[in-house]
Amino acid sequence: MIFWIIVLGIVGAVAWIRLAPSDPAVWHVDPMVTADQDLATGVRRRVTGGLDAFEALDRIILATPRTELLAGSIDEGRMTYVTRSQWMRFPDYTTVQLDGVQIEVFGRLRFGQGDVGVNRARVDGWLAALAARDGT
């Protein structure tokens, strides 16, 4: 009996992770990036780029597997994306904002205490692809 309660609990937790709604009011917020930061739960980055780079970064992000736009637009100057892990479908949220010529990026997890560098690797990969596009 205990075994089945544990199994049911695990199945319920996995279902919640996969099906939990993503509320834009919670996740589509100002990234508040003042400097590059590596956090236990994510990463903050700030790069110079302007509107051209902002649009290119949007295309790079949307080309990432299991990534979709949650809220925002190029015209709004802020977009928030959800990227889900391959196996458990854990959602990570990344908000990208254009502030003048600065692009602010804030990637963070939703569930857990730490992301073991997943958001840092993803965001840094996007920014490396953006820099390669610009030839820098």
Side-chain angles (χ1 to χ4, degrees):
M1 180 67 171
I2 297 285
F3 172 77
W4 291 112
I5 291 172
I6 292 170
V7 168
L8 187 59
I10 292 171
V11 169
V14 169
W16 173 249
I17 289 167
R18 288 180 178 226
L19 302 174
S22 296
D23 182 357
V26 173
W27 299 104
H28 187 59
V29 296
D30 187 336
M32 298 184 290
V33 179
T34 57
D36 288 355
Q37 294 177 297
D38 294 334
L39 310 166
T41 59
V43 65
R44 283 189 165 105
R45 295 288 186 259
R46 187 174 175 127
V47 297
T48 302
L51 182 59
D52 249 11
F54 188 62
E55 291 172 339
L57 185 57
D58 174 56
R59 289 189 298 274
I60 290 166
I61 292 171
L62 288 174
T64 303
R66 299 172 309 282
T67 300
E68 62 185 24
L69 182 66
L70 173 66
S73 67
I74 297 280
D75 292 336
E76 180 185 324
R78 180 186 303 158
M79 295 167 288
T80 299
Y81 308 87
V82 180
T83 303
R84 293 191 173 269
S85 63
Q86 186 170 0
W87 301 108
M88 293 294 292
R89 300 290 190 241
F90 279 91
D92 288 331
Y93 298 89
T94 305
T95 300
V96 179
Q97 178 171 289
L98 184 61
D99 182 13
V101 297
Q102 297 295 314
I103 299 171
E104 300 175 349
V105 184
F106 179 32
R108 66 267 193 212
L109 58 74
R110 176 171 181 175
F111 297 104
Q113 299 292 320
D115 73 353
V116 296
V118 170
N119 281 289
R120 180 180 62 234
R122 182 182 306 116
V123 168
D124 287 348
W126 290 338
L127 296 178
L130 181 64
R133 164 203 159 275
D134 292 337
T136 56

